[in-house]
PDB file of all heavy atoms in Angstrom:
ATOM      1  N   VAL A   1     -20.205  19.409  47.085  1.00  0.00           N
ATOM      2  CA  VAL A   1     -19.959  20.814  46.788  1.00  0.00           C
ATOM      3  C   VAL A   1     -20.929  21.235  45.703  1.00  0.00           C
ATOM      4  O   VAL A   1     -21.445  20.401  44.959  1.00  0.00           O
ATOM      5  CB  VAL A   1     -18.497  21.066  46.323  1.00  0.00           C
ATOM      6  CG1 VAL A   1     -17.510  20.760  47.424  1.00  0.00           C
ATOM      7  CG2 VAL A   1     -18.169  20.294  45.077  1.00  0.00           C
ATOM      8  N   PRO A   2     -21.213  22.533  45.591  1.00  0.00           N
ATOM      9  CA  PRO A   2     -22.110  22.984  44.520  1.00  0.00           C
ATOM     10  C   PRO A   2     -21.514  22.684  43.144  1.00  0.00           C
ATOM     11  O   PRO A   2     -20.298  22.677  42.966  1.00  0.00           O
ATOM     12  CB  PRO A   2     -22.202  24.497  44.742  1.00  0.00           C
ATOM     13  CG  PRO A   2     -21.720  24.733  46.131  1.00  0.00           C
ATOM     14  CD  PRO A   2     -20.793  23.625  46.454  1.00  0.00           C
ATOM     15  N   LYS A   3     -22.383  22.420  42.174  1.00  0.00           N
ATOM     16  CA  LYS A   3     -21.926  22.176  40.802  1.00  0.00           C
ATOM     17  C   LYS A   3     -21.106  23.375  40.325  1.00  0.00           C
ATOM     18  O   LYS A   3     -21.410  24.507  40.632  1.00  0.00           O
ATOM     19  CB  LYS A   3     -23.113  21.952  39.873  1.00  0.00           C
ATOM     20  CG  LYS A   3     -23.739  20.595  40.043  1.00  0.00           C
ATOM     21  CD  LYS A   3     -24.385  20.174  38.744  1.00  0.00           C
ATOM     22  CE  LYS A   3     -25.026  18.823  38.920  1.00  0.00           C
ATOM     23  NZ  LYS A   3     -24.216  17.758  38.442  1.00  0.00           N
ATOM     24  N   GLY A   4     -20.055  23.091  39.597  1.00  0.00           N
ATOM     25  CA  GLY A   4     -19.195  24.149  39.087  1.00  0.00           C
ATOM     26  C   GLY A   4     -18.080  24.530  40.048  1.00  0.00           C
ATOM     27  O   GLY A   4     -17.230  25.341  39.714  1.00  0.00           O
ATOM     28  N   HIS A   5     -18.076  23.962  41.252  1.00  0.00           N
ATOM     29  CA  HIS A   5     -17.039  24.274  42.230  1.00  0.00           C
ATOM     30  C   HIS A   5     -16.069  23.110  42.437  1.00  0.00           C
ATOM     31  O   HIS A   5     -15.331  23.076  43.409  1.00  0.00           O
ATOM     32  CB  HIS A   5     -17.671  24.666  43.568  1.00  0.00           C
ATOM     33  CG  HIS A   5     -18.335  25.998  43.532  1.00  0.00           C
ATOM     34  ND1 HIS A   5     -19.627  26.165  43.111  1.00  0.00           N
ATOM     35  CD2 HIS A   5     -17.874  27.227  43.834  1.00  0.00           C
ATOM     36  CE1 HIS A   5     -19.958  27.438  43.171  1.00  0.00           C
ATOM     37  NE2 HIS A   5     -18.901  28.110  43.610  1.00  0.00           N
ATOM     38  N   THR A   6     -16.088  22.167  41.531  1.00  0.00           N
ATOM     39  CA  THR A   6     -15.173  21.033  41.640  1.00  0.00           C
ATOM     40  C   THR A   6     -13.819  21.418  41.052  1.00  0.00           C
ATOM     41  O   THR A   6     -13.707  22.389  40.297  1.00  0.00           O
ATOM     42  CB  THR A   6     -15.717  19.813  40.886  1.00  0.00           C
ATOM     43  OG1 THR A   6     -15.900  20.168  39.523  1.00  0.00           O
ATOM     44  CG2 THR A   6     -17.022  19.337  41.488  1.00  0.00           C
ATOM     45  N   ARG A   7     -12.798  20.653  41.409  1.00  0.00           N
ATOM     46  CA  ARG A   7     -11.444  20.881  40.902  1.00  0.00           C
ATOM     47  C   ARG A   7     -10.920  19.597  40.263  1.00  0.00           C
ATOM     48  O   ARG A   7      -9.763  19.250  40.431  1.00  0.00           O
ATOM     49  CB  ARG A   7     -10.506  21.267  42.035  1.00  0.00           C
ATOM     50  CG  ARG A   7     -10.931  22.390  42.892  1.00  0.00           C
ATOM     51  CD  ARG A   7      -9.963  22.604  44.034  1.00  0.00           C
ATOM     52  NE  ARG A   7      -9.250  21.357  44.355  1.00  0.00           N
ATOM     53  CZ  ARG A   7      -8.426  21.230  45.360  1.00  0.00           C
ATOM     54  NH1 ARG A   7      -8.193  22.203  46.155  1.00  0.00           N
ATOM     55  NH2 ARG A   7      -7.813  20.073  45.585  1.00  0.00           N
ATOM     56  N   TYR A   8     -11.742  18.897  39.541  1.00  0.00           N
ATOM     57  CA  TYR A   8     -11.355  17.594  39.027  1.00  0.00           C
ATOM     58  C   TYR A   8     -10.120  17.658  38.132  1.00  0.00           C
ATOM     59  O   TYR A   8      -9.238  16.808  38.230  1.00  0.00           O
ATOM     60  CB  TYR A   8     -12.507  16.927  38.287  1.00  0.00           C
ATOM     61  CG  TYR A   8     -13.672  16.561  39.187  1.00  0.00           C
ATOM     62  CD1 TYR A   8     -14.968  16.601  38.721  1.00  0.00           C
ATOM     63  CD2 TYR A   8     -13.463  16.178  40.499  1.00  0.00           C
ATOM     64  CE1 TYR A   8     -16.028  16.258  39.533  1.00  0.00           C
ATOM     65  CE2 TYR A   8     -14.522  15.837  41.321  1.00  0.00           C
ATOM     66  CZ  TYR A   8     -15.798  15.878  40.831  1.00  0.00           C
ATOM     67  OH  TYR A   8     -16.845  15.536  41.651  1.00  0.00           O
ATOM     68  N   THR A   9     -10.045  18.646  37.266  1.00  0.00           N
ATOM     69  CA  THR A   9      -8.885  18.753  36.379  1.00  0.00           C
ATOM     70  C   THR A   9      -7.611  18.973  37.191  1.00  0.00           C
ATOM     71  O   THR A   9      -6.586  18.325  36.951  1.00  0.00           O
ATOM     72  CB  THR A   9      -9.068  19.895  35.368  1.00  0.00           C
ATOM     73  OG1 THR A   9     -10.276  19.664  34.630  1.00  0.00           O
ATOM     74  CG2 THR A   9      -7.908  19.988  34.412  1.00  0.00           C
ATOM     75  N   LEU A  10      -7.666  19.866  38.170  1.00  0.00           N
ATOM     76  CA  LEU A  10      -6.498  20.110  39.017  1.00  0.00           C
ATOM     77  C   LEU A  10      -6.138  18.884  39.848  1.00  0.00           C
ATOM     78  O   LEU A  10      -4.952  18.589  40.050  1.00  0.00           O
ATOM     79  CB  LEU A  10      -6.751  21.313  39.938  1.00  0.00           C
ATOM     80  CG  LEU A  10      -6.826  22.669  39.253  1.00  0.00           C
ATOM     81  CD1 LEU A  10      -7.201  23.752  40.260  1.00  0.00           C
ATOM     82  CD2 LEU A  10      -5.515  22.999  38.574  1.00  0.00           C
ATOM     83  N   ASP A  11      -7.155  18.157  40.323  1.00  0.00           N
ATOM     84  CA  ASP A  11      -6.893  16.949  41.104  1.00  0.00           C
ATOM     85  C   ASP A  11      -6.201  15.878  40.265  1.00  0.00           C
ATOM     86  O   ASP A  11      -5.272  15.211  40.726  1.00  0.00           O
ATOM     87  CB  ASP A  11      -8.186  16.398  41.706  1.00  0.00           C
ATOM     88  CG  ASP A  11      -8.738  17.269  42.823  1.00  0.00           C
ATOM     89  OD1 ASP A  11      -7.974  18.078  43.389  1.00  0.00           O
ATOM     90  OD2 ASP A  11      -9.939  17.133  43.128  1.00  0.00           O
ATOM     91  N   VAL A  12      -6.651  15.709  39.025  1.00  0.00           N
ATOM     92  CA  VAL A  12      -6.017  14.725  38.135  1.00  0.00           C
ATOM     93  C   VAL A  12      -4.587  15.161  37.827  1.00  0.00           C
ATOM     94  O   VAL A  12      -3.654  14.347  37.881  1.00  0.00           O
ATOM     95  CB  VAL A  12      -6.841  14.531  36.841  1.00  0.00           C
ATOM     96  CG1 VAL A  12      -6.049  13.748  35.802  1.00  0.00           C
ATOM     97  CG2 VAL A  12      -8.151  13.827  37.146  1.00  0.00           C
ATOM     98  N   LEU A  13      -4.385  16.440  37.534  1.00  0.00           N
ATOM     99  CA  LEU A  13      -3.035  16.934  37.249  1.00  0.00           C
ATOM    100  C   LEU A  13      -2.122  16.773  38.464  1.00  0.00           C
ATOM    101  O   LEU A  13      -0.959  16.385  38.322  1.00  0.00           O
ATOM    102  CB  LEU A  13      -3.081  18.397  36.805  1.00  0.00           C
ATOM    103  CG  LEU A  13      -3.679  18.649  35.428  1.00  0.00           C
ATOM    104  CD1 LEU A  13      -3.805  20.151  35.170  1.00  0.00           C
ATOM    105  CD2 LEU A  13      -2.857  17.985  34.349  1.00  0.00           C
ATOM    106  N   ARG A  14      -2.633  17.050  39.653  1.00  0.00           N
ATOM    107  CA  ARG A  14      -1.849  16.874  40.882  1.00  0.00           C
ATOM    108  C   ARG A  14      -1.403  15.424  41.028  1.00  0.00           C
ATOM    109  O   ARG A  14      -0.230  15.149  41.299  1.00  0.00           O
ATOM    110  CB  ARG A  14      -2.694  17.277  42.097  1.00  0.00           C
ATOM    111  CG  ARG A  14      -1.994  17.053  43.434  1.00  0.00           C
ATOM    112  CD  ARG A  14      -2.975  16.928  44.580  1.00  0.00           C
ATOM    113  NE  ARG A  14      -3.861  15.790  44.355  1.00  0.00           N
ATOM    114  CZ  ARG A  14      -5.125  15.765  44.734  1.00  0.00           C
ATOM    115  NH1 ARG A  14      -5.678  16.803  45.327  1.00  0.00           N
ATOM    116  NH2 ARG A  14      -5.876  14.696  44.503  1.00  0.00           N
ATOM    117  N   ASP A  15      -2.326  14.490  40.813  1.00  0.00           N
ATOM    118  CA  ASP A  15      -1.983  13.077  40.955  1.00  0.00           C
ATOM    119  C   ASP A  15      -0.998  12.627  39.872  1.00  0.00           C
ATOM    120  O   ASP A  15      -0.134  11.787  40.130  1.00  0.00           O
ATOM    121  CB  ASP A  15      -3.248  12.218  40.950  1.00  0.00           C
ATOM    122  CG  ASP A  15      -4.049  12.374  42.237  1.00  0.00           C
ATOM    123  OD1 ASP A  15      -3.530  12.958  43.208  1.00  0.00           O
ATOM    124  OD2 ASP A  15      -5.199  11.905  42.267  1.00  0.00           O
ATOM    125  N   LEU A  16      -1.115  13.186  38.668  1.00  0.00           N
ATOM    126  CA  LEU A  16      -0.142  12.862  37.620  1.00  0.00           C
ATOM    127  C   LEU A  16       1.245  13.370  37.992  1.00  0.00           C
ATOM    128  O   LEU A  16       2.249  12.689  37.745  1.00  0.00           O
ATOM    129  CB  LEU A  16      -0.594  13.442  36.279  1.00  0.00           C
ATOM    130  CG  LEU A  16      -1.769  12.737  35.617  1.00  0.00           C
ATOM    131  CD1 LEU A  16      -2.257  13.531  34.405  1.00  0.00           C
ATOM    132  CD2 LEU A  16      -1.398  11.315  35.207  1.00  0.00           C
ATOM    133  N   VAL A  17       1.320  14.544  38.599  1.00  0.00           N
ATOM    134  CA  VAL A  17       2.611  15.074  39.066  1.00  0.00           C
ATOM    135  C   VAL A  17       3.171  14.183  40.172  1.00  0.00           C
ATOM    136  O   VAL A  17       4.371  13.904  40.207  1.00  0.00           O
ATOM    137  CB  VAL A  17       2.475  16.544  39.532  1.00  0.00           C
ATOM    138  CG1 VAL A  17       3.720  17.009  40.270  1.00  0.00           C
ATOM    139  CG2 VAL A  17       2.194  17.448  38.344  1.00  0.00           C
ATOM    140  N   PHE A  18       2.303  13.700  41.075  1.00  0.00           N
ATOM    141  CA  PHE A  18       2.755  12.794  42.132  1.00  0.00           C
ATOM    142  C   PHE A  18       3.264  11.465  41.563  1.00  0.00           C
ATOM    143  O   PHE A  18       4.080  10.788  42.191  1.00  0.00           O
ATOM    144  CB  PHE A  18       1.624  12.513  43.126  1.00  0.00           C
ATOM    145  CG  PHE A  18       1.292  13.662  44.029  1.00  0.00           C
ATOM    146  CD1 PHE A  18       0.095  13.666  44.714  1.00  0.00           C
ATOM    147  CD2 PHE A  18       2.147  14.724  44.218  1.00  0.00           C
ATOM    148  CE1 PHE A  18      -0.239  14.706  45.562  1.00  0.00           C
ATOM    149  CE2 PHE A  18       1.829  15.778  45.062  1.00  0.00           C
ATOM    150  CZ  PHE A  18       0.634  15.765  45.734  1.00  0.00           C
ATOM    151  N   MET A  19       2.787  11.094  40.393  1.00  0.00           N
ATOM    152  CA  MET A  19       3.224   9.833  39.785  1.00  0.00           C
ATOM    153  C   MET A  19       4.632   9.920  39.212  1.00  0.00           C
ATOM    154  O   MET A  19       5.303   8.893  39.068  1.00  0.00           O
ATOM    155  CB  MET A  19       2.259   9.405  38.672  1.00  0.00           C
ATOM    156  CG  MET A  19       1.026   8.727  39.194  1.00  0.00           C
ATOM    157  SD  MET A  19      -0.072   8.211  37.879  1.00  0.00           S
ATOM    158  CE  MET A  19       0.940   7.064  36.977  1.00  0.00           C
ATOM    159  N   ILE A  20       5.105  11.107  38.907  1.00  0.00           N
ATOM    160  CA  ILE A  20       6.431  11.261  38.298  1.00  0.00           C
ATOM    161  C   ILE A  20       7.523  10.653  39.179  1.00  0.00           C
ATOM    162  O   ILE A  20       8.303   9.818  38.701  1.00  0.00           O
ATOM    163  CB  ILE A  20       6.717  12.738  37.943  1.00  0.00           C
ATOM    164  CG1 ILE A  20       5.777  13.195  36.829  1.00  0.00           C
ATOM    165  CG2 ILE A  20       8.181  12.936  37.546  1.00  0.00           C
ATOM    166  CD1 ILE A  20       5.790  14.685  36.566  1.00  0.00           C
ATOM    167  N   PRO A  21       7.622  11.018  40.471  1.00  0.00           N
ATOM    168  CA  PRO A  21       8.670  10.387  41.281  1.00  0.00           C
ATOM    169  C   PRO A  21       8.437   8.890  41.496  1.00  0.00           C
ATOM    170  O   PRO A  21       9.402   8.125  41.598  1.00  0.00           O
ATOM    171  CB  PRO A  21       8.642  11.147  42.608  1.00  0.00           C
ATOM    172  CG  PRO A  21       7.471  12.030  42.586  1.00  0.00           C
ATOM    173  CD  PRO A  21       6.951  12.082  41.193  1.00  0.00           C
ATOM    174  N   ALA A  22       7.187   8.465  41.541  1.00  0.00           N
ATOM    175  CA  ALA A  22       6.904   7.036  41.716  1.00  0.00           C
ATOM    176  C   ALA A  22       7.397   6.253  40.512  1.00  0.00           C
ATOM    177  O   ALA A  22       8.025   5.191  40.657  1.00  0.00           O
ATOM    178  CB  ALA A  22       5.410   6.816  41.937  1.00  0.00           C
ATOM    179  N   VAL A  23       7.154   6.750  39.314  1.00  0.00           N
ATOM    180  CA  VAL A  23       7.621   6.079  38.102  1.00  0.00           C
ATOM    181  C   VAL A  23       9.151   6.123  38.036  1.00  0.00           C
ATOM    182  O   VAL A  23       9.792   5.151  37.644  1.00  0.00           O
ATOM    183  CB  VAL A  23       6.974   6.694  36.843  1.00  0.00           C
ATOM    184  CG1 VAL A  23       7.608   6.178  35.564  1.00  0.00           C
ATOM    185  CG2 VAL A  23       5.470   6.424  36.845  1.00  0.00           C
ATOM    186  N   TRP A  24       9.738   7.230  38.458  1.00  0.00           N
ATOM    187  CA  TRP A  24      11.197   7.325  38.496  1.00  0.00           C
ATOM    188  C   TRP A  24      11.776   6.234  39.405  1.00  0.00           C
ATOM    189  O   TRP A  24      12.766   5.597  39.070  1.00  0.00           O
ATOM    190  CB  TRP A  24      11.627   8.707  38.990  1.00  0.00           C
ATOM    191  CG  TRP A  24      13.110   8.819  39.172  1.00  0.00           C
ATOM    192  CD1 TRP A  24      13.823   8.613  40.316  1.00  0.00           C
ATOM    193  CD2 TRP A  24      14.072   9.121  38.166  1.00  0.00           C
ATOM    194  NE1 TRP A  24      15.160   8.789  40.086  1.00  0.00           N
ATOM    195  CE2 TRP A  24      15.348   9.101  38.766  1.00  0.00           C
ATOM    196  CE3 TRP A  24      13.982   9.417  36.807  1.00  0.00           C
ATOM    197  CZ2 TRP A  24      16.505   9.352  38.065  1.00  0.00           C
ATOM    198  CZ3 TRP A  24      15.151   9.683  36.121  1.00  0.00           C
ATOM    199  CH2 TRP A  24      16.390   9.647  36.742  1.00  0.00           C
ATOM    200  N   LEU A  25      11.153   6.022  40.564  1.00  0.00           N
ATOM    201  CA  LEU A  25      11.641   5.007  41.494  1.00  0.00           C
ATOM    202  C   LEU A  25      11.420   3.591  40.971  1.00  0.00           C
ATOM    203  O   LEU A  25      12.120   2.669  41.385  1.00  0.00           O
ATOM    204  CB  LEU A  25      10.994   5.178  42.864  1.00  0.00           C
ATOM    205  CG  LEU A  25      11.476   6.394  43.653  1.00  0.00           C
ATOM    206  CD1 LEU A  25      10.666   6.557  44.928  1.00  0.00           C
ATOM    207  CD2 LEU A  25      12.958   6.285  43.965  1.00  0.00           C
ATOM    208  N   LEU A  26      10.453   3.397  40.104  1.00  0.00           N
ATOM    209  CA  LEU A  26      10.309   2.093  39.444  1.00  0.00           C
ATOM    210  C   LEU A  26      11.512   1.830  38.542  1.00  0.00           C
ATOM    211  O   LEU A  26      11.996   0.708  38.439  1.00  0.00           O
ATOM    212  CB  LEU A  26       9.027   2.049  38.612  1.00  0.00           C
ATOM    213  CG  LEU A  26       7.734   1.870  39.380  1.00  0.00           C
ATOM    214  CD1 LEU A  26       6.547   2.091  38.453  1.00  0.00           C
ATOM    215  CD2 LEU A  26       7.676   0.494  40.002  1.00  0.00           C
ATOM    216  N   TRP A  27      11.994   2.888  37.909  1.00  0.00           N
ATOM    217  CA  TRP A  27      13.096   2.774  36.973  1.00  0.00           C
ATOM    218  C   TRP A  27      14.439   2.709  37.700  1.00  0.00           C
ATOM    219  O   TRP A  27      15.296   1.902  37.375  1.00  0.00           O
ATOM    220  CB  TRP A  27      13.043   3.953  35.998  1.00  0.00           C
ATOM    221  CG  TRP A  27      14.111   3.961  34.964  1.00  0.00           C
ATOM    222  CD1 TRP A  27      14.505   2.925  34.160  1.00  0.00           C
ATOM    223  CD2 TRP A  27      14.921   5.071  34.593  1.00  0.00           C
ATOM    224  NE1 TRP A  27      15.507   3.322  33.318  1.00  0.00           N
ATOM    225  CE2 TRP A  27      15.782   4.649  33.558  1.00  0.00           C
ATOM    226  CE3 TRP A  27      14.988   6.393  35.020  1.00  0.00           C
ATOM    227  CZ2 TRP A  27      16.698   5.495  32.966  1.00  0.00           C
ATOM    228  CZ3 TRP A  27      15.899   7.226  34.417  1.00  0.00           C
ATOM    229  CH2 TRP A  27      16.750   6.769  33.404  1.00  0.00           C
ATOM    230  N   LYS A  28      14.636   3.594  38.687  1.00  0.00           N
ATOM    231  CA  LYS A  28      15.892   3.673  39.441  1.00  0.00           C
ATOM    232  C   LYS A  28      15.583   3.664  40.932  1.00  0.00           C
ATOM    233  O   LYS A  28      15.531   4.725  41.563  1.00  0.00           O
ATOM    234  CB  LYS A  28      16.648   4.943  39.079  1.00  0.00           C
ATOM    235  CG  LYS A  28      17.163   4.975  37.665  1.00  0.00           C
ATOM    236  CD  LYS A  28      18.251   6.010  37.555  1.00  0.00           C
ATOM    237  CE  LYS A  28      18.874   5.970  36.207  1.00  0.00           C
ATOM    238  NZ  LYS A  28      20.111   5.255  36.173  1.00  0.00           N
TER     239      LYS A  28
END
């Protein structure tokens, strides 16, 4: 993609949100 059109911050935040239920299932 052209420079400046990446969504890296949003992609990292999305994956961190996806980790919340995974970590919850590790606990319970």
Side-chain angles (χ1 to χ4, degrees):
V1 295
K3 285 208 181 262
H5 289 86
T6 59
R7 307 176 334 185
Y8 294 147
T9 303
L10 291 175
D11 289 341
V12 168
L13 290 174
R14 177 203 61 214
D15 288 348
L16 287 171
V17 169
F18 287 163
M19 279 181 61
I20 293 170
V23 171
W24 175 266
L25 288 174
L26 284 170
W27 181 48
K28 293 199 174 260

